[in-house]
Amino acid sequence: MKIPESTRSSLTLRLLQRQRERWPDLEQLTIRVRGEFAYIDGATPDSDGQVEPLFRLRYAGSATFWGFAIYTWSGMRYEDSVLPNGAAAGTPEEVLDCACGLYLRDPSAWVTN
C-alpha cells in the first residue's frame, strides 16, 4: 500500500519535531519513501557527519501506527523489531526513540511508564 502524500508530509513533520525535542545529538534526519516503506536515516555523533540507516517504517493504512524494522550493522539489513513496551507497531516518534536509544546509547529512551 503506497503511502499517501499527506501522510508523508505528516510523517516528516512529526519525526523532525521529535528529533529537535528529544534527540538534538542526532545531527541530521532524512526520510525517504518507496512504496509502503519510509526509510529513516541520520547522522549520529559517531558517524563523522555521514548519514546512515536507522530504521524503516511500514505503512499499513494508518498515519498513527506503523510497523518497523531497525537497521542492524551486524547483519547490514533491516530486522523487524518490537518497542520496549513489547508492541510490534507504534507511532513514528516511539520508533525514533527506540532507534536513537540504540544508536545514541541512551537507555532512558526505553523506559516505559
Side-chain angles (χ1 to χ4, degrees):
M1 178 180 302
K2 187 175 177 182
I3 303 172
E5 187 59 42
S6 61
T7 301
R8 291 181 189 195
S9 297
S10 171
L11 174 65
T12 299
L13 291 173
R14 291 172 68 180
L15 287 173
L16 291 174
Q17 180 177 349
R18 186 64 175 167
Q19 174 200 9
R20 285 189 301 273
E21 291 172 353
R22 175 69 170 92
W23 302 106
D25 289 344
L26 188 60
E27 299 166 4
Q28 184 177 350
L29 191 68
T30 60
I31 297 101
R32 299 174 287 118
V33 174
R34 181 175 293 155
E36 67 183 312
F37 295 108
Y39 297 87
I40 290 67
D41 306 324
T44 65
D46 294 338
S47 68
D48 295 324
Q50 297 286 14
V51 176
E52 300 174 335
L54 299 175
F55 60 95
R56 177 186 72 199
L57 295 170
R58 179 188 305 261
Y59 180 70
S62 168
T64 304
F65 290 99
W66 301 68
F68 73 102
I70 297 287
Y71 188 83
T72 62
W73 286 100
S74 60
M76 299 191 75
R77 64 182 179 172
Y78 294 96
E79 295 191 22
D80 288 337
S81 302
V82 295
L83 292 168
N85 65 10
T91 67
E93 295 89 346
E94 290 173 323
V95 178
L96 179 63
D97 289 350
C98 183
C100 285
L102 172 67
Y103 287 114
L104 298 176
R105 293 181 292 282
D106 183 352
S108 70
W110 305 319
V111 175
T112 59
N113 297 328

